[in-house]
Amino acid sequence: MSDHGHSAKEIAERIGAPPGRGVLRDAIYGAIDGAVTTFAIVAGVSGAGLSPFVIVALGVANVLADGFSMAAANYSGTKAELENMRRIRAIEERHIDEHPDGEKREVREILYQKGLSGKVLSQATDAITQDRENWISLMMEGEYGLGGVDPHPMKSAITTFMAFLAAGVVPLFPFLLGLEDALAFSVAMTLITFFGIGALKSHWSLNHWSRSGFETLLIGGGAAAIAYFVGTLFHV
């Protein structure tokens, strides 16, 4: 991932419109869970010796139902997070109106813990508390650890569902195509998907792509192995 620029214009544009957390977490979460849960059903049903038609039917049902369920849950969770931020903001607005001196002392303490002291600390406190919006933003970050960019519930939900759908259909392809030894192909394709998700994730981390890929491969492969083993216990 390339570094950002440091010209005056680039700095002003970047700091003035921070991107927030984005949808990376939602995409990775949805993709891994989609591949894991769908393959878990495929492996479990195959282990039980049921027909390919049953495998496809249950797999498709899982991709749609579980994908929607995850998206809805992520929407609700992100919306709750957003509502909590708004609730806290309303509290700070009321406190500034009712207890301005106490709130100024809180601003001073936040800035002090960031390394300011003496005259500079007093000047910074006065400057920030002269602008109500800056005052509230500093309190949200310094007192509650909440960022200045609101989360987007619908964007999170859509990203989760699409990632779940894209990765979740992979284990079903060999069965949809009617391939012989479809389970073996499904295993290979799913493991490759796990590795690919992890390798792609390394683009936003300090881990090497191979390490990130194998880490995700082990997590997903372990879940799939457990599901297949449980399925063999109910072989018909």
Side-chain angles (χ1 to χ4, degrees):
M1 189 173 184
S2 59
D3 290 335
H4 52 251
H6 292 88
S7 68
K9 180 181 179 182
E10 289 171 322
I11 292 174
E13 291 177 349
R14 186 171 64 255
I15 302 301
R21 77 180 190 191
V23 294
L24 174 63
R25 184 192 68 173
D26 304 311
I28 298 299
Y29 176 52
I32 291 178
D33 197 72
V36 168
T37 57
T38 305
F39 183 73
I41 289 177
V42 168
V45 175
S46 296
L50 299 180
S51 70
F53 175 80
V54 174
I55 294 173
V56 171
L58 291 177
V60 171
N62 172 77
V63 168
L64 296 177
D66 200 17
F68 180 81
S69 176
M70 279 191 62
N74 200 9
Y75 174 85
S76 297
T78 307
K79 191 170 184 291
E81 180 183 356
L82 179 60
E83 290 171 349
N84 184 52
M85 292 175 65
R86 290 172 175 169
R87 178 186 65 84
I88 292 174
R89 179 184 177 88
I91 291 174
E92 286 304 310
E93 290 176 341
R94 178 167 56 83
H95 285 181
I96 288 174
D97 291 334
E98 297 177 357
H99 311 285
D101 292 337
E103 290 296 307
K104 287 182 179 179
R105 285 194 292 271
E106 290 181 358
V107 170
R108 185 180 182 88
E109 179 61 24
I110 292 171
L111 296 176
Y112 174 76
Q113 292 191 13
K114 290 181 179 294
L116 276 64
S117 61
K119 186 177 180 179
V120 173
L121 174 58
S122 298
Q123 291 174 338
T125 301
D126 292 339
I128 289 175
T129 55
Q130 286 177 7
D131 186 297
R132 185 180 179 85
E133 188 61 34
N134 288 338
W135 190 347
I136 295 172
S137 296
L138 181 66
M139 298 304 299
M140 294 287 286
E141 188 275 329
E143 188 173 2
Y144 300 97
L146 299 174
V149 181
D150 292 340
H152 301 281
M154 185 56 69
K155 184 185 295 185
S156 295
I158 292 174
T159 301
T160 300
F161 181 76
M162 296 306 295
F164 188 101
L165 189 66
V169 298
V170 171
L172 296 176
F173 273 131
F175 297 94
L176 290 170
L177 297 176
L179 300 178
E180 290 190 23
D181 204 6
L183 179 59
F185 281 103
S186 181
V187 170
M189 293 174 64
T190 303
L191 293 179
I192 291 172
T193 300
F194 287 145
F195 185 86
I197 292 170
L200 180 63
K201 180 165 61 73
S202 70
H203 182 67
W204 293 273
S205 74
L206 297 177
N207 290 331
H208 189 269
W209 63 269
S210 60
R211 178 178 179 179
S212 181
F214 278 114
E215 179 184 82
T216 306
L217 174 61
L218 289 175
I219 294 172
I226 292 172
Y228 182 78
F229 172 74
V230 172
T232 60
L233 299 178
F234 300 93
H235 189 80
V236 295

